Each structure stands twice: as C-alpha cells, then as structure tokens.
Amino acid sequence: VSLNLVVGVSGELSLGHAGFMSVGAFSGIVASGWMLGAFQLENEVVRLLLSMIVGGVFAGIAGVLIGIPVLRLHGDYLAIVTLAFGEIIRSVIINLEFTGGAAGLKGTPQDSTFAIAFAVVLITLLVIMNLVNSRHGRAITAIRDNRIAAEASGINVTYFRMLAFVIAAFFAGVAGVLYGHNLSILSASTFDYNKSIELLVIVVLGGMGS
C-alpha cells in the first residue's frame, strides 16, 4: 500500500522500498529489545506498537535523507538511484555491530500476529485513502499527470513529491517491524533488491493507483 502511494499515485518508479523496510525492521527490533531489557515491558502488543512507531519514524527520517537528493530525478534515473540507495542501506546494516552484522539478529521476539497485522493494514489503508482524496492527494495526482502544468498552477512540486515519499517510507518501516517480529533470525540479506522487485510486482499486478 505504501509503495502504491509512490508508484501508483505519485507516478514515481522506486526500487528501494525494501531499504526502508530494513531500516524499520532493525530499528524496531532493537527498540523492542531495549524496552524489554530497560523497562521490563512484558506486554507484547504494547511493545510491538511502540516498536512500529519507532521503526516508522526512523524509516521516515531515512526517506527524508534519501528523498532530498533523489527526488530531483525522474523516471528510469530515479529507479536506478533508489535501487542503489536500497543496496547502500543493506550494506550499512551488515557492517553495524548492533544489527548483528552479516549474521543478523537472532532470537527476535515473535510478537507479530495476524490480528495486529490486519488492524495495521486497515489503518494504513484509511490514512493513505484519506491522503489521496484530500487536497494534498489531488496535488500529488496533478503532479503525476502533468508536472509542468501543476508547477504552473502554483503547486509546490518538490514538497508534495517529498511528502508522498516520506509517508510511504514511514509505512514501509511499520511493515518492516511487523515482518521482523515474525522471523526468528532478522538478516539484512532478507531486504535485498529482490524484495523491492517483489513489492513492485505486487503493486503492478494489483493495479497501480488502485
């Protein structure tokens, strides 16, 4: 759903979505372990919800940092650079100690459940649909249909492209936390470019912008 906001609604081809998932997954898992160790927070649901917020925020920050240079590009160039950034993020995670390096994090808490995932999907759909049907969403759609005409109409193209990109990164981070809390070993290799391509195929086959 979050990638659909970038590809379907904004009309930008992004191939680095798995990178935002990995940022969210690792920051969420680390936050979950810290809450368990420092505060003895045994409630799995509360711990997972807080982890999703942390993972989403860190992924959103990564979206801002990546979006500033990347969103100057369009089309195939944007796709290539986002793919490169996804691989860079994966390489950075592999070389960090607190992420477990190449071996990954073992013994991650299995807090993710179907009920929580279903609820998060509904919330995500509600937020994205409200955004698309709002004034901001119409501006994003206008940029997709005709960037020059939108800019001539006084729409801040850079701002709205960045807004869609960061919101998509935030929800990708939330998805990463849910995904990470369902694996016994969380490894950076899980979020390689194949995962990004898989997500893009799901969006295309499901109907872009639908």
Side-chain angles (χ1 to χ4, degrees):
V1 174
S2 64
L3 183 59
N4 187 44
L5 178 63
V6 175
V7 178
V9 180
S10 301
E12 307 289 355
L13 185 57
S14 173
L15 295 177
H17 218 57
F20 298 125
M21 274 186 74
S22 64
V23 171
F26 279 94
S27 57
I29 292 291
V30 170
S32 183
W34 180 71
M35 285 184 283
L36 186 62
F39 296 104
Q40 301 297 316
L41 187 60
E42 299 291 344
N43 191 313
E44 295 178 357
V45 176
V46 174
R47 194 170 64 225
L48 180 60
L49 290 175
L50 291 173
S51 297
M52 281 192 286
I53 293 171
V54 171
V57 168
F58 272 93
I61 292 169
V64 172
L65 296 176
I66 292 172
I68 290 170
V70 163
L71 291 179
R72 297 173 183 272
L73 305 172
H74 304 279
D76 297 339
Y77 300 105
L78 178 65
I80 292 166
V81 176
T82 51
L83 176 64
F85 268 113
E87 290 300 297
I88 289 167
I89 288 172
R90 188 170 65 87
S91 299
V92 169
I93 289 172
I94 288 174
N95 288 285
L96 293 175
E97 289 185 12
F98 67 90
T99 59
L105 292 172
K106 298 179 176 66
T108 55
Q110 306 291 293
D111 295 341
S112 184
T113 64
F114 178 79
I116 293 173
F118 187 74
V120 172
V121 168
L122 289 179
I123 292 168
T124 306
L125 280 169
L126 189 65
V127 172
I128 299 294
M129 285 173 67
N130 275 305
L131 173 67
V132 171
N133 293 321
S134 69
R135 180 173 173 273
H136 288 69
R138 288 193 294 273
I140 292 168
T141 308
I143 294 166
R144 177 196 67 191
D145 292 340
N146 194 319
R147 182 176 179 274
I148 296 171
E151 201 164 11
S153 301
I155 295 173
N156 190 334
V157 173
T158 305
Y159 168 76
F160 285 108
R161 290 181 76 200
M162 178 67 79
L163 178 70
F165 198 72
V166 171
I167 291 173
F170 174 85
F171 283 109
V174 171
V177 174
L178 274 172
Y179 191 68
H181 279 78
N182 201 36
L183 302 171
S184 55
I185 299 175
L186 182 64
S187 173
S189 60
T190 307
F191 304 99
D192 60 1
Y193 67 91
N194 288 315
K195 177 63 72 177
S196 292
I197 298 297
E198 180 186 329
L199 296 172
L200 182 62
V201 169
I202 291 170
V203 170
V204 173
L205 293 180
M208 290 192 296
S210 170

